[in-house]
Amino acid sequence: MWGGRKLSSSGSRFLGAHRSAFRGTQADSPRLTTSAAYSKNQLSWTLQIKPSVFSEYRIMCFKSYSMSFACLNRLKSYRLPWTRLYSTSRTTVDSSEVKTFLALAHRWWDEQGEYAPLHSMNDLRVPFIRDNLLKTVADHQPGKPLSGMKILDVGCGGGLLTEPLGRLGASVIGIDPVDENIKTAQRHKSFDPVLDKRIEYRACSLEKIVEETAETFDAVVASEVVEHVIDLETFIQCCCQVLKPGGSLFITTINKTQLSYALGIVFSEQIAGIVPKGTHTWEKFVSPEKLESILESNGLSVQTVAGMLYNPFSGYWHWSENTSLNYAAHALKSSMQEHPSPAEFALKEETEELRIETSTNSGVHEELKK
C-alpha cells in the first residue's frame, strides 16, 4: 500500500532473554550438612533440604529416594512487554541534543525555514498513521476518523505532527524535553479552540510519562526522534510500556548507511544547509533490521517498513521501496493474553530442561545414591 516492504519477521516473538546462573554454596544455605557439586551438569545433593520448593535463591529441589537434589540449572529471566524494565534514574534524553533544538525553538512554524522538510513530511506520515490506525477499528466518524483514540506524540517539538492528528479527532498528548518547544506548541494551538481542547502538551521526558500512564495509549508516535535519543532500547521499552495491548507504534527515522551519511549529514547539513549543522549524529542512525530486532524483543510485531525520499529541489517527500535513507515503520504491541505468565513460562521450560539433563546423567544420579 505504501510502496514499502515488510521486514522478515517471526511475528510477535516472545522474548528470549538473558540467562543468568545462580550458584549455591554452603554459606548460602546454613542447613546443608553435606554437599557435592558437578560443574558439568550443575547438580548438587544435600541431606537436609525440604523437597519441591522455590527458595529465595531460585533453586528448585527434587526428592529422589532418601535424598533431595537441588538443580542449580540456570533460570531464564524473561523481559515481558508488561514488565517495567527501565530505571527512573536513567534517561533517553541527550542533553547536547536539547541544546541544539533549544536554539531553534522559535522556528518550528516557519514553513520556509529549518523545519520545512518536517512540514512537507506530514503529507506522508499523517496518512500513514491514520490509515494504519483505521485498520484496527470497525468504523469511524466521517471527518474525524481518529475520534476516540488517544495518541502520544513523543518529541513533538512545536507540534507540527500533533496538530494534524488532533484535527483528525484524536486526543493527543505531545511531550518534549525542551521547555521552549512546548511553549511554542502551546502558543500555536491556542489559536484553534478545537485543538486547544483535544491537545495537551507537557515539557517532560518519556520516562516521566511511563510512570504516570502505563498502557494508556492507542498509539505512540516517534517521528524523527529515535536518531536523537541516547538509549534506543530503553526508549523503545518505554514506548511499549505506555501502549495498550494491541496498540500501534509509529516511527520515522534515518537508516545507518554510507548514503545516509553522504546525503543526510555532508550534503544536507554542511553543503546545502537544508538542516542546521550538528542536527544529526550518524552513529545514532539505526537500520530497519536493527530497529525490528529491538521492537520484536520488546513484544512489538513489525507490520510495515516503507522507504521515504526527500527532494530538496521540490521540497516534497514521496514513498519508495528503497530504505537506505529515510523510512517509516509501524509495529503492533502484542496482546497480553497471547503469552503465559512469567512464572509459568520459566517453570515449564526449566522443568523440561531438567528432565532432559537428568535422563542423560543417570550415571551421576547412581553415584549420588551411593
Side-chain angles (χ1 to χ4, degrees):
M1 177 175 181
W2 298 105
R5 63 180 179 85
K6 283 194 176 181
L7 290 174
S8 56
S9 171
S10 59
S12 176
R13 287 198 296 260
F14 186 73
L15 285 168
H18 313 290
R19 299 174 68 92
S20 55
F22 294 85
R23 295 179 174 83
T25 64
Q26 190 165 351
D28 292 333
S29 180
R31 294 176 295 171
L32 301 185
T33 57
T34 311
S35 66
Y38 294 81
S39 59
K40 179 179 179 181
N41 301 296
Q42 292 185 293
L43 293 175
S44 68
W45 65 275
T46 66
L47 295 178
Q48 296 181 7
I49 293 183
K50 293 181 179 180
S52 304
V53 296
F54 248 118
S55 76
E56 60 182 321
Y57 300 100
R58 302 180 75 182
I59 299 174
M60 179 70 85
C61 303
F62 299 88
K63 188 171 182 180
S64 176
Y65 299 98
S66 59
M67 298 182 183
S68 296
F69 291 85
C71 175
L72 303 185
N73 188 36
R74 295 171 296 176
L75 287 176
K76 294 180 179 178
S77 299
Y78 292 96
R79 300 186 327 192
L80 301 179
W82 57 90
T83 303
R84 176 167 292 188
L85 299 170
Y86 69 93
S87 168
T88 53
S89 63
R90 298 174 62 186
T91 180
T92 60
V93 178
D94 189 331
S95 58
S96 63
E97 299 274 2
V98 170
K99 293 178 182 178
T100 299
F101 288 100
L102 178 61
L104 298 170
H106 63 291
R107 303 281 290 173
W108 281 103
W109 289 96
D110 180 359
E111 296 186 19
Q112 306 303 319
E114 291 86 343
Y115 293 118
L118 293 183
H119 283 271
S120 177
M121 188 185 286
N122 278 355
D123 293 341
L124 297 189
R125 57 185 179 176
V126 173
F128 182 73
I129 295 169
R130 177 198 64 203
D131 293 349
N132 280 291
L133 284 178
L134 290 181
K135 294 176 183 178
T136 65
V137 297
D139 51 21
H140 59 272
Q141 297 183 31
K144 296 190 293 183
L146 301 186
S147 180
M149 292 190 179
K150 192 170 183 180
I151 300 176
L152 177 66
D153 185 8
V154 183
C156 65
L160 303 192
L161 181 55
T162 318
E163 289 197 6
L165 295 176
R167 290 192 181 93
L168 291 174
S171 296
V172 190
I173 294 180
I175 64 171
D176 198 284
V178 182
D179 187 63
E180 291 301 316
N181 285 348
I182 294 300
K183 290 179 180 178
T184 298
Q186 289 175 330
R187 183 165 54 252
H188 195 271
K189 74 151 183 172
S190 66
F191 297 115
D192 189 327
V194 175
L195 289 181
D196 211 23
K197 295 178 180 179
R198 293 179 186 169
I199 296 175
E200 176 186 351
Y201 288 115
R202 299 183 191 178
C204 67
S205 66
L206 176 58
E207 292 79 13
K208 181 64 175 177
I209 291 294
V210 175
E211 294 177 10
E212 302 172 354
T213 56
E215 296 192 340
T216 298
F217 297 95
D218 298 288
V220 174
V221 177
S223 185
E224 306 306 294
V225 172
V226 300
E227 67 270 23
H228 299 290
V229 301
I230 202 169
D231 185 341
L232 178 57
E233 186 157 0
T234 299
F235 181 86
I236 296 299
Q237 290 170 5
C238 290
C239 288
C240 187
Q241 285 280 328
V242 299
L243 273 176
K244 294 178 181 177
S248 291
L249 173 61
F250 296 96
I251 292 174
T252 67
T253 188
I254 308 173
N255 198 347
K256 191 175 183 179
T257 61
Q258 292 180 343
L259 185 61
S260 69
Y261 179 78
L263 295 181
I265 294 181
V266 177
F267 177 77
S268 297
E269 294 186 16
Q270 300 174 12
I271 297 177
I274 298 173
V275 293
K277 290 183 179 180
T279 299
H280 297 110
T281 303
W282 186 79
E283 288 74 17
K284 288 184 178 180
F285 292 176
V286 58
S287 68
E289 292 78 16
K290 181 178 179 180
L291 181 62
E292 178 195 22
S293 176
I294 297 174
L295 289 169
E296 294 202 343
S297 70
N298 285 281
L300 291 153
S301 175
V302 177
Q303 303 297 300
T304 306
V305 172
M308 305 165 66
L309 290 179
Y310 179 68
N311 186 332
F313 302 104
S314 67
Y316 291 104
W317 291 83
H318 66 270
W319 293 111
S320 170
E321 293 185 1
N322 189 334
T323 60
S324 59
L325 289 172
N326 295 73
Y327 63 95
H330 171 224
L332 289 174
K333 181 177 179 178
S334 302
S335 176
M336 190 181 303
Q337 287 74 19
E338 295 177 2
H339 304 297
S341 68
E344 289 174 349
F345 195 93
L347 181 58
K348 180 179 179 181
E349 178 129 341
E350 289 303 316
T351 301
E352 179 63 19
E353 289 185 8
L354 177 66
R355 184 189 65 79
I356 296 173
E357 290 183 3
T358 53
S359 65
T360 57
N361 291 280
S362 57
V364 174
H365 193 174
E366 290 299 324
E367 201 58 38
L368 291 175
K369 285 168 60 179
K370 298 177 181 178

